[in-house]
DNA sequence: CGTCGTCTTGACCAAAGTCAACGCACGTGG
DNA sequence: CCACGTGCGTTGACTTTGGTCAAGACGACG
């Protein structure tokens, strides 16, 4: 299963080609695949840990629960993402991380990651770049929550998810299937379930999306892009990598 | 004016004590102080640059302007902050940066910063930590915009600003003066000016804040903390540094 | 003294939330 | 194989939070 580290390599190669040595360092990491059920929390608010989690398969969200039980999803993550890079340098986590689908993750000891960046400082820079992109995505969410209407906001979020899936080769054609429920979209857009439902109806009536069981299918990426005023520049992706 | 780099040092020492060599590297940087007027843009959306800006005095915000002219402020910055660290590794900026007060900034060439992190990898780690904290702050803004009411949201924002000023020794006592207008708070909280005005009135009526010309005085930090449900954990500050 | 930017107020409006009931599909166990 | 329960989606009626518009006050500064 060592091939799985390819996901991380592909993600980092969004920034620049890796050198032979850099690839070697990553490919030599023993990958210990763990399976996790839908709904399980991978990490809890306040937790310290000695490993980072590399997501190999499935989808995950980070969220914070308020005192009154409402919750705000802060980000979604896809295969190739390192879920809690912040635990490496910051210690305590300030949010929860939950499995939205059945998952495969690989815990990578902090010591291993520190080894990477010591022996190959270039890798450290790439990981730092990754956290800068993360920050850019959070900024975009601030704009999205602050300035866009329910309809535009939802479309924008769907575009972002599609663009990120495509970047790691998981949404090769125009369509794209997202394993999210209306409740999860509501928590991410900070709309009520009732209202996100009305928004999704509108998106469906325009032929932009389609509901299939517990998943949402994006039918018309350009239409969604237009509906959400989506400009992918903030994702700082290079050209779409070859499938 | 070389003493000014002390601000950055103090900021980084929020994470850990610097070694003698690390201090040396930073203290040897020639500081070229530039003065900037209120309202000027320091950086524009899409811009590339060859320098990072170290803020020495004054207050700054990052924002994005929408097509319809509304704008969303994404963050405020205080002395000691590096304003566009992302330009170092990501190239194109995805937002504007504006002076909210008269400013003193020091441009630091990218090459210089790259030199720091090459010769003292520990400094690179500290700067990376700084961007992780930045990201944590953005996440908190997502929660703030998504889940908190106008009143709570505003109080929370004020608490955050006070806590960050205090961390660099600029709000030593219980009170704290912020050079922000209602319009700027409105753009940051994504409330209308009219509504933020009503919120500020309520905060004033409870003795939590006071308006003095173009500045806002925080009178009762504990009261604000309570009003905003503020928990500073996400700022990942160590104990308050000695004044 | 006038002007400009900022703050303030009140009346009205609209986007999104809440509540409550219902439907629908799926899975499990009798 | 059907009955039931559970989780998710849907709908309509009503409410609330905060937005919009418009007018006026205040205060700093040339």
């Amino acid at each position: 299963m060592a091939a799985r580290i390819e996901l991380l390599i592909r993600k980092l190669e969004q920034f620049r080609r890796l050198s032979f040595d850099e690839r070697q360092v990553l490919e030599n990491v023993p990958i210990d695949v763990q399976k996790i059920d839908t709904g399980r929390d991978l990490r809890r608010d306040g937790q310290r840990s000695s490993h980072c989690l590399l997501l190999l398969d499935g989808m995950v969200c980070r969220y914070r629960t308020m005192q009154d039980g409402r919750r705000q999803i802060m980000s979604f993550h896809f295969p190739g993402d390192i879920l809690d890079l912040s635990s490496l340098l910051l210690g305590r986590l300030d949010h929860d991380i939950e499995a939205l689908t059945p998952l495969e993750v690989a815990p990578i000891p902090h010591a291993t990651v520190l080894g990477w960046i010591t022996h190959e400082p270039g890798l450290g820079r790439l990981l730092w770049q990754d956290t800068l992109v993360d920050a850019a995505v959070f900024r975009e969410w601030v704009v999205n929550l602050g300035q866009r209407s329910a309809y535009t906001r939802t479309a924008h979020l769907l575009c972002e998810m599609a663009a990120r899936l495509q970047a790691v080769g998981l949404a090769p054609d125009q369509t794209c299937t997202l394993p999210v429920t209306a409740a999860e979209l509501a928590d991410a857009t900070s709309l009520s379930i009732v209202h996100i439902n009305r928004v999704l109806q509108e998106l469906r009536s325009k032929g932009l999306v389609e509901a299939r069981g517990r998943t949402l299918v994006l039918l018309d990426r350009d239409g969604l892009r237009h509906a959400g005023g989506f400009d992918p520049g903030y994702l700082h992706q290079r050209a779409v990598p070859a499938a």
Side-chain angles (χ1 to χ4, degrees), chain A:
Chain A
M1 288 292 158
R4 298 309 193 67
I5 198 80
E6 267 301 326
L7 280 163
L8 178 60
I9 291 174
R10 194 181 320 174
K11 187 179 162 88
L12 295 179
E13 289 206 325
Q14 278 181 69
F15 300 121
R16 64 163 172 76
R17 267 215 111 53
L18 299 191
S19 72
F20 179 78
D21 287 346
E22 287 167 342
R23 293 185 76 96
Q24 282 294 103
V25 164
L26 292 179
E27 284 169 357
N28 284 337
V29 175
I31 294 288
D32 162 31
V33 179
Q34 297 188 354
K35 293 189 184 277
I36 303 215
D37 296 332
T38 304
R40 276 271 311 280
D41 276 327
L42 307 187
R43 291 282 185 263
R44 303 303 298 267
D45 194 346
Q47 192 177 355
R48 293 172 178 279
S49 64
S50 56
H51 297 69
C52 292
L53 291 175
L54 173 62
L55 182 54
L56 299 176
D57 191 39
M59 191 172 138
V60 146
C61 74
R62 312 201 221 179
Y63 67 96
R64 170 104 115 263
T65 308
M66 315 298 286
Q67 297 83 338
D68 63 1
R70 296 151 147 279
R71 70 174 196 168
Q72 177 67 45
I73 291 180
M74 313 165 157
S75 62
F76 293 105
H77 292 282
F78 307 103
D81 287 352
I82 296 181
L83 299 180
D84 55 349
L85 206 40
S86 74
S87 73
L88 177 68
L89 294 179
L90 245 37
R92 246 175 335 94
L93 208 62
D94 53 32
H95 52 269
D96 296 340
I97 303 183
E98 181 185 305
L100 296 175
T101 65
L103 249 46
E104 289 185 19
V105 298
I108 300 179
H110 283 172
T112 303
V113 181
L114 292 174
W116 293 348
I117 68 184
T118 308
H119 295 116
E120 290 292 339
L123 285 179
R125 296 251 292 270
L126 287 172
L127 292 172
W128 183 3
Q129 260 175 288
D130 186 54
T131 93
L132 284 164
V133 172
D134 257 29
V137 171
F138 293 130
R139 283 197 295 273
E140 191 63 34
W141 280 48
V142 167
V143 172
N144 211 25
L145 292 175
Q147 298 302 129
R148 291 194 253 261
S149 70
Y151 178 77
T152 322
R153 191 190 305 173
T154 306
H156 192 280
L157 173 61
L158 296 178
C159 287
E160 179 188 296
M161 295 172 84
R164 290 178 55 199
L165 278 173
Q166 192 166 40
V168 286
L170 296 175
D173 48 1
Q174 269 289 313
T175 76
C176 164
T177 303
L178 298 172
V180 287
T181 64
E184 284 147 8
L185 285 178
D187 288 343
T189 53
S190 82
L191 297 170
S192 65
I193 299 187
V194 171
H195 202 70
I196 200 104
N197 179 12
R198 297 196 253 252
V199 167
L200 289 175
Q201 277 176 52
E202 196 174 344
L203 290 170
R204 262 179 291 170
S205 77
K206 296 193 176 161
L208 302 177
V209 307
E210 192 178 289
R212 275 191 208 143
R214 279 178 51 85
T215 67
L216 190 70
V217 184
L218 310 192
L219 297 173
D220 177 359
R221 298 269 283 278
D222 292 332
L224 278 171
R225 189 162 298 210
H226 182 254
F230 182 72
D231 171 358
Y234 70 96
L235 293 172
H236 295 271
Q237 299 167 336
R238 280 196 320 185
V240 182

